[in-house]
Amino acid sequence: MKKLVVLGAGTAGTMVVNRLRKLLDANEWQVTIVDQDETHYYQPGFLFLPFGTYQGKDVIKPKRDFIPSGVELIVSPIDVIDAENNSVTLVKDQRVLTYDFLVIATGAQIRPDQTPGLLEHEWHKTIHDFYTFDGALTLARHLEQWQGGRLVVNVVENPIKCPVAPLEFLMLADFYFQDRGIRDRVELVYTTPLPGAFTKPVCNRELSGMLQAKGIQVVPEFQIERVDPDAKKIVAYDETAIGYDLLVTVPMNMGDECIARSGLGDESNFIPVDKHTFVSPKHANIFVLGDAAALPTSKAGSVAHFAVECFAENFVRYIQGSELDPSFDGHTNCFIESGFGKGLLIDFNYDTEPLPGRFPLPGIGPFALLQESRLNHLGKLAFRWMYWNILLKGRNTLLPARMSMAGKMTPHQN
Amino acid sequence: MSTREIAGKTVRVNEEGFMTDPNEWSQDIAKIIAREEGIAELSLAHWRVIDFCRKDGISAGKAPTLRRITTHTGISTKEMFSLFPKGPAKKVAKISGLGKPEGCV
């Protein structure tokens, strides 16, 4: 019996076991998945919690419901991976799992402890986050009572999960406060270490224009050093300070501590892998999928989805002795909520920046790329159903794993 | 992709002025790019960072992030900002003849 062990039953890990259980012979392969948490969180839904659009119950389901029969789920934190000896030690009972192949999908977590002043007496009082279930719900309760002032959203450092989420948060906040009739008493400020709202030129132009039109101020190249929770200001390394009444932080994102304990990660506990095949350059039987990988992609569910599709086919060939096909192109596809029942959609990869056009059918859509539409917003809401019922279960979608240029307009055409 | 002449050498650069081939780099080129980036004189501390970035960047095939530099050189982030003001990782990558650091998608 050959053994495949998957670490992490989040978006990537769950999709991996669902796809591979179908592709691997049950008489030859034992598949085990490990996670410390019994609950699966629909993380894209966290964005909607602070504004009351979603309630807590809308974004959680038991992990067990998504693990197929023929796969053992073990609920335990991971102590350490011993890559030299092909084994993993779990915290629970110090149980040791040996493997022939290992998939690491332990994700990324926010680390407010990495910025002085964040995780102190004002945490979840005047300083909030929306990247955790508890954080987003606490912020919802705070916003309900809030009577206005300066709301600052700060991104500490990149990479972060879902790089457009902070922009969506601001645009939804603009909508929310208008709806409550207090928009004139709220100042919205976005501070980012990046030189602009988004890194890629065409998308940056579009998003910057939208933020400006909504009266959201962007402070670029702000590299936060610390928070002064009593004076209520964030201070950059160059001593520039910005005051706030309510700070919504997007803390530093890091890979799991078990990666550091295992000596497999970089400075941020993300694991270097081949960017087209996800195989570890040091261990030919270890693959890393989802946010845990140190790759120049967005840390996003759509990336994990396309990556897992490429990986699953490749893995089956690989165990039969074939070379890995460098099939993953960095494909990313994200809906961007812009408030007032509208949204945008972007589709890009390692080499092609987000461009305007129609998706997935050229000229038809129905979704408009890099352009606000009501349908894009409905697409984002419908995505939650698709996530639980199709994506996680490893069923096929109509979306191609590799990005297509069909339907996109290059900068010269628009 | 275009070329430009720095310190008597023709080197290839991208549209943001980052050199595209680290092998075309020299210390004289570093001094000139540093001046263009507002650093009049490269001190020993600057060179310590540049040396690390050259070594690390060439072996990894990409410019190191700020966190990687501070972890491996023991130089604090604060000090990095005073040595290479405003975006130290990007600035030192440019001076070291490496591409723009990744990790900001």
Side-chain angles (χ1 to χ4, degrees):
Chain A
M1 205 68 168
K2 290 214 171 109
K3 290 178 189 165
L4 169 69
V5 172
V6 178
L7 301 179
T11 308
T14 304
M15 288 191 292
V16 165
V17 293
N18 276 299
R19 289 211 163 240
L20 285 184
R21 189 61 285 178
K22 277 178 251 175
L23 296 171
L24 299 175
D25 187 337
N27 297 316
E28 284 178 31
W29 285 86
Q30 182 188 333
V31 182
T32 308
I33 188 165
V34 183
D35 200 289
Q36 58 191 337
D37 205 333
E38 306 234 12
T39 305
H40 191 111
Y41 295 96
Y42 174 59
Q43 293 187 65
F46 288 178
L47 174 69
F48 293 111
L49 293 175
F51 308 107
T53 318
Y54 283 174
Q55 310 301 315
K57 64 174 171 41
D58 296 328
V59 299
I60 52 172
K61 285 187 193 286
K63 281 204 154 107
R64 206 164 282 284
D65 292 359
F66 299 91
I67 306 302
S69 61
V71 174
E72 186 192 3
L73 168 68
I74 302 173
V75 179
S76 166
I78 295 148
D79 184 5
V80 71
I81 302 160
D82 182 352
E84 302 309 323
N85 294 304
N86 299 332
S87 73
V88 180
T89 305
L90 307 183
V91 170
K92 195 170 144 192
D93 308 326
Q94 284 293 298
R95 182 170 166 191
V96 177
L97 304 175
T98 57
Y99 60 82
D100 296 287
F101 290 91
L102 181 70
V103 171
I104 303 176
T106 41
Q109 287 85 35
I110 61 159
R111 292 291 298 268
D113 60 305
Q114 299 286 310
T115 304
L118 274 184
L119 205 55
E120 292 172 11
H121 51 283
E122 285 295 317
W123 181 246
H124 286 179
K125 290 190 180 116
T126 54
I127 304 174
H128 291 262
D129 81 279
F130 66 96
Y131 271 70
T132 57
F133 185 65
D134 290 340
L137 288 176
T138 310
L139 178 54
R141 286 193 292 275
H142 189 83
L143 285 180
E144 264 173 24
Q145 313 286 326
W146 201 51
Q147 292 307 311
R150 181 190 274 175
L151 191 165
V152 173
V153 174
N154 174 251
V155 173
V156 169
E157 191 175 322
N158 285 293
I160 57 168
K161 291 197 256 198
C162 191
V164 292
L167 302 174
E168 295 181 280
F169 180 90
L170 282 155
M171 292 193 281
L172 287 176
D174 167 62
F175 177 35
Y176 173 86
F177 292 122
Q178 283 205 30
D179 204 40
R180 274 185 49 194
I182 60 164
R183 180 63 180 94
D184 57 337
R185 282 186 266 147
V186 177
E187 201 184 333
L188 293 173
V189 183
Y190 180 48
T191 57
T192 167
L194 295 178
F198 199 80
T199 43
K200 314 284 171 154
V202 178
C203 191
N204 183 43
R205 209 163 53 215
E206 183 69 26
L207 291 173
S208 301
M210 286 180 65
L211 294 174
Q212 200 178 6
K214 290 174 190 292
I216 297 164
Q217 191 196 335
V218 179
V219 182
E221 294 185 329
F222 188 91
Q223 312 253 5
I224 190 172
E225 184 202 359
R226 63 183 191 274
V227 181
D228 186 335
D230 295 316
K232 292 193 174 45
K233 58 181 187 182
I234 52 173
V235 184
Y237 281 105
D238 63 6
E239 294 298 328
T240 317
I242 293 174
Y244 62 80
D245 296 299
L246 171 57
L247 176 63
V248 176
T249 176
V250 181
M252 163 107 191
N253 280 212
M254 290 177 79
D256 200 273
E257 277 303 309
C258 76
I259 303 303
R261 283 196 293 275
S262 310
L264 293 172
D266 63 12
E267 308 69 45
S268 305
N269 304 342
F270 295 125
I271 309 165
V273 280
D274 183 276
K275 69 182 205 176
H276 300 294
T277 64
F278 314 103
V279 70
S280 154
K282 289 194 187 139
H283 306 278
N285 62 341
I286 297 183
F287 292 83
V288 186
L289 287 157
D291 296 347
L295 287 180
T297 59
S298 295
K299 294 199 179 296
S302 68
V303 177
H305 163 217
F306 299 132
V308 169
E309 277 194 26
C310 293
F311 161 75
E313 285 176 16
N314 237 339
F315 185 72
V316 174
R317 290 158 33 86
Y318 192 55
I319 56 177
Q320 288 162 356
S322 300
E323 291 279 304
L324 289 166
D325 177 23
S327 52
F328 183 66
D329 64 354
H331 191 189
T332 311
N333 179 287
C334 323
F335 287 107
I336 305 176
E337 275 294 291
S338 54
F340 300 91
K342 290 185 179 175
L344 289 79
L345 178 66
I346 55 174
D347 190 62
F348 58 104
N349 69 10
Y350 286 138
D351 305 314
T352 308
E353 62 170 318
L355 296 170
R358 307 291 284 180
F359 182 88
L361 300 175
I364 298 169
F367 298 111
L369 290 173
L370 201 50
Q371 195 188 331
E372 262 193 307
S373 81
R374 198 159 284 277
L375 197 61
N376 286 339
H377 163 70
L378 296 175
K380 176 131 186 163
L381 294 184
F383 186 75
R384 181 164 58 113
W385 183 89
M386 203 166 121
Y387 180 85
W388 293 124
N389 295 288
I390 297 178
L391 287 184
L392 275 189
K393 293 181 176 167
R395 298 195 175 125
N396 285 324
T397 62
L398 294 170
L399 302 177
R402 291 169 65 82
M403 197 203 76
S404 164
M405 277 309 285
K408 292 190 174 64
M409 289 186 282
T410 61
H412 307 287
Q413 290 172 293
N414 64 84
Chain B
M1 194 91 65
S2 53
T3 58
R4 65 168 285 200
E5 209 182 292
I6 322 176
K9 250 181 102 175
T10 306
V11 301
R12 281 169 292 171
V13 292
N14 73 5
E15 61 281 4
E16 288 178 89
F18 285 84
M19 289 174 60
T20 55
D21 181 358
N23 296 317
E24 293 177 340
W25 179 88
S26 70
Q27 295 201 346
D28 287 335
I29 288 176
K31 287 177 198 163
I32 289 169
I33 299 178
R35 234 169 280 148
E36 292 169 357
E37 293 292 317
I39 302 165
E41 197 76 42
L42 288 174
S43 66
L44 272 176
H46 286 109
W47 281 113
R48 222 176 105 207
V49 179
I50 295 168
D51 286 345
F52 168 76
C53 291
R54 289 282 307 166
K55 219 179 284 167
D56 189 71
I58 288 167
S59 78
K62 60 182 180 192
T65 60
L66 180 59
R67 207 177 172 82
R68 185 164 178 82
I69 299 169
T70 55
T71 309
H72 290 272
T73 58
I75 292 168
S76 73
T77 310
K78 190 104 185 162
E79 207 178 331
M80 281 294 293
F81 271 85
S82 72
L83 288 170
F84 303 93
K86 292 211 167 215
K90 201 167 129 187
K91 205 160 265 195
V92 74
K94 200 168 195 177
I95 295 169
S96 307
L98 304 167
K100 194 174 167 178
E102 288 171 348
C104 34
V105 193

